[in-house]
């Protein structure tokens, strides 16, 4: 019987909590020696398109092909999570405009209203002096 622990990290080399040691992912070296590390790669635009198409079908949303292509391009520069989360607001925008099908313009409007995690972090860094810090 084997025990399995799955985790994901992008911490790089950092301090191990409770020590003065630095190690990859902030994990003790003796623990790292016992782990199997699997490197992942970003999704390709075609893969993002297929995933978004499947998710839209699951949620009974109708998207035109241009909207799907726009979502896959946005996903390539941001993340799959961001574009999947854009489906609901894009659907609300299309329904507000009396359409049953999400169009490229709906996706672009939605993208202009929200920030992905990278853009949000960049904005915080650029405007750090405008925020209260300790």
């Amino acid at each position: 019987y084997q025990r399995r622990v799955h985790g994901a990290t992008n911490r790089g080399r950092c301090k191990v909590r409770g020590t003065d040691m630095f190690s990859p992912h902030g994990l003790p070296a003796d623990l790292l020696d016992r782990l199997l590390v699997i490197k992942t790669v970003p999704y390709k635009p075609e893969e993002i398109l297929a995933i978004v198409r499947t998710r839209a079908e699951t949620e009974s949303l109708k998207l035109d092909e241009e909207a799907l292509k726009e979502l896959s391009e946005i996903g390539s520069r941001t993340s799959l999570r961001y574009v999947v989360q854009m489906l609901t607001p894009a659907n609300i925008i299309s329904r507000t405009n009396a359409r049953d099908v999400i169009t490229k313009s709906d996706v672009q409007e939605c993208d202009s209203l929200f920030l992905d995690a990278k853009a949000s972090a960049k904005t915080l860094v650029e405007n750090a002096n405008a925020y209260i810090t300790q």
Side-chain angles (χ1 to χ4, degrees):
Y1 176 54
Q2 289 181 318
R3 301 200 188 279
R4 295 182 189 163
V5 177
H6 298 266
T9 179
N10 61 355
R11 292 183 61 199
R13 190 168 172 78
C14 57
K15 188 175 179 181
V16 177
R17 276 193 189 167
T19 71
D20 293 326
M21 299 183 333
F22 282 82
S23 176
H25 312 295
L27 298 173
D30 58 334
L31 176 60
L32 273 175
D33 291 341
R34 297 181 179 141
L35 298 177
L36 171 65
V37 177
I38 300 170
K39 185 177 179 182
T40 59
V41 295
Y43 288 107
K44 296 176 185 164
E46 310 83 51
E47 295 169 326
I48 293 172
L49 189 126
I51 293 167
V52 170
R53 179 178 278 132
T54 302
R55 182 63 181 257
E57 288 173 8
T58 302
E59 295 185 18
S60 301
L61 300 175
K62 297 176 185 172
L63 288 95
D64 66 16
E65 283 301 313
E66 285 187 352
L68 277 169
K69 288 179 186 172
E70 183 70 14
L71 284 167
S72 70
E73 289 172 15
I74 293 169
S76 295
R77 74 173 156 78
T78 60
S79 68
L80 176 62
R81 176 178 292 173
Y82 178 68
V83 294
V84 167
Q85 290 176 341
M86 282 178 59
L87 288 173
T88 300
N91 186 43
I92 292 169
I93 291 168
S94 72
R95 292 196 182 277
T96 301
N97 293 318
R99 287 191 307 277
D100 291 332
V101 178
I102 299 170
T103 63
K104 180 178 178 178
S105 64
D106 298 329
V107 172
Q108 289 171 334
E109 183 177 347
C110 186
D111 190 32
S112 72
L113 295 173
F114 299 100
L115 293 175
D116 65 283
K118 292 174 193 171
S120 178
K122 182 180 176 187
T123 301
L124 288 173
V125 169
E126 289 173 352
N127 300 305
N129 58 350
Y131 299 101
I132 298 174
T133 60
Q134 293 182 359

